[in-house]
Amino acid sequence: MIHHTQVSLLKDVIVPYTHLLPRLRLSENRHRRNLLYFKGAKHRHRGGLVREKLWDLLVDEPGVIMEEGFPNATGREQSIKGMRSSEFCLHPAGDTPTSCRLFDAILSLCIPVIVSDEIELPFEGMIDYSDFSVFVPVSKALQPKWLVNYLRSISEQRKRRYRLNMAQVQRVFEYDNGNPGGIGPVPPDGAVNHIWRKIYQKVPIIREAMIREKRKPEGVSIPLRCHCT
């Protein structure tokens, strides 16, 4: 039974964080001299243990930049520079399954390296993240030298393909319609309309579950698929 207070992909929609960094278009992309970039807190709770171990493994690797801090007012320019000058951007597990860092990487055309065995992503089914992201199991990422060696083995052709695919989905993660004060219609291919499309996909499943529950004879159990209350 799934109560309204419980999270379930059968009834809930995962929405992207608002990105904090500006969009970099493919035509503006320049040579990237660094292999891997990460900016964030080293110490986190719960799933953050993976992040701490990765930090210790990567911090002294050539071509890898690990920075403490956040892309806020004081760290924004540093984050823009770091993401735009790096081939890959690290996205390790933290307190939550995902963060704005992932969407900042996409808007910066920095290929996401997702190290998490339990991540849930917005708009899956509409978007195939494997077209522009590198997914790495935690067990391999925590082996010394494994991650940097693997990233260095990825060909230039494959990286160009990732970046081309990323450029094609950047708009999906934008909420802003580009108008002063945000007044006016939302972009048809932006985040807001994708959220509504995802909700529309879930309505028949929820409606079916409610109807099945309504017609259940008293004392009889119906095999559970999605019991939404």
Side-chain angles (χ1 to χ4, degrees), residues 3 9 23 26 30 38 52 81 97 121 139 152 180 188 190:
H3 296 280
L9 293 181
R23 180 182 181 184
L26 194 60
R30 298 294 180 263
F38 172 81
E52 292 183 31
K81 181 181 177 182
L121 298 165
S139 59
R152 289 188 179 115

Side-chain angles (χ1 to χ4, degrees), residues 8 30 70 102 146 148 164 180 207 216:
S8 167
R30 298 294 180 263
F70 301 94
L102 172 62
W146 188 93
V148 289
L164 176 62
R207 182 180 292 124
K216 182 182 73 173

Side-chain angles (χ1 to χ4, degrees), residues 54-77:
L54 279 172
W55 188 290
D56 293 336
L57 286 172
L58 296 170
V59 67
D60 294 323
E61 285 288 341
V64 176
I65 299 175
M66 305 290 286
E67 294 178 340
E68 285 261 20
F70 301 94
N72 50 23
T74 55
R76 187 171 183 268
E77 292 304 316

Side-chain angles (χ1 to χ4, degrees), residues 102-140:
L102 172 62
F103 309 106
D104 282 334
I106 293 170
L107 270 291
S108 302
L109 295 176
C110 186
I111 301 166
V113 178
I114 299 173
V115 182
S116 176
D117 296 338
E118 301 176 354
I119 195 166
E120 300 293 352
L121 298 165
F123 312 141
E124 288 200 274
M126 300 175 177
I127 295 172
D128 185 348
Y129 284 81
S130 64
D131 286 342
F132 56 85
S133 305
V134 177
F135 288 87
V136 178
V138 170
S139 59
K140 287 190 174 181

